[in-house]
Amino acid sequence: MEIIGDFELPGDIEKSTISRPYDIKTYLNRIEGYKTKIKNLHWSVKLLPYIEKNELHEHLDELLDLVSDYEDVVAENYMGTFGVLPLGFLSGVQPETNDPLELIDKIRTDLEGFHSTYSSDLKYIGIINATEDLLQELPVKKYLIDQCK
């Protein structure tokens, strides 16, 4: 049995040990970082070079909801298929941008990379469907945020 923190994982629970470019723990940490960055931008909207600050504030809040829901689907689908994720693995890796439009592009790039890595593996079908849903929503959010300039 492996000990994680104060807990022991039974030996029959498969750990996240994917040897693909989009390891699920790394991917979830990037998604968590996107959420943190969106929230920071949401709270600091007054400092951003946009004219329609209240609209931008609302659009960032909606984007945060979309990304949060997506992260939950990814984690829960993964655990439902492969077993639990280790305690304490989530630490969030924030992207190096304070531009909401550039941030959406970074999220899209990650989603596309994840999709291309796992789309042929039926064990990931639920996550792939959620990925496609978010990929469909991002251009709309980008358009609406761009209108706030």
Side-chain angles (χ1 to χ4, degrees), residues 18-113:
I18 299 170
S19 60
R20 294 183 178 181
Y22 280 84
D23 170 86
I24 202 72
K25 291 183 285 186
T26 302
Y27 188 60
L28 286 169
N29 274 303
R30 286 199 307 269
I31 296 169
E32 185 68 19
Y34 291 138
K35 286 174 36 188
T36 302
K37 180 61 78 168
I38 294 166
K39 199 62 176 172
N40 283 328
L41 293 173
H42 170 81
W43 287 331
S44 301
V45 75
K46 192 172 185 177
L47 303 174
L48 298 177
Y50 284 78
I51 295 169
E52 300 295 333
K53 297 191 186 294
N54 191 49
E55 282 185 45
L56 178 61
H57 183 83
E58 290 174 14
H59 290 311
L60 288 169
D61 213 16
E62 292 165 3
L63 179 61
L64 178 64
D65 289 343
L66 289 171
V67 174
S68 292
D69 290 346
Y70 175 71
E71 179 186 43
D72 205 42
V73 167
V74 170
E76 290 177 356
N77 266 272
Y78 181 84
M79 291 186 295
T81 303
F82 298 104
V84 297
L85 290 161
L87 290 170
F89 83 93
L90 192 63
S91 59
V93 178
Q94 289 189 48
E96 297 287 328
T97 185
N98 289 318
D99 178 348
L101 298 173
E102 188 177 315
L103 180 62
I104 290 172
D105 288 339
K106 288 180 179 291
I107 295 169
R108 182 174 186 86
T109 298
D110 252 350
L111 292 169
E112 289 170 350

Side-chain angles (χ1 to χ4, degrees), residues 70 73-74 77 121-131 133:
Y70 175 71
V73 167
V74 170
N77 266 272
D121 189 339
L122 288 177
K123 291 178 285 212
Y124 289 87
I125 193 71
I127 300 172
I128 293 304
N129 288 339
T131 302
D133 289 345

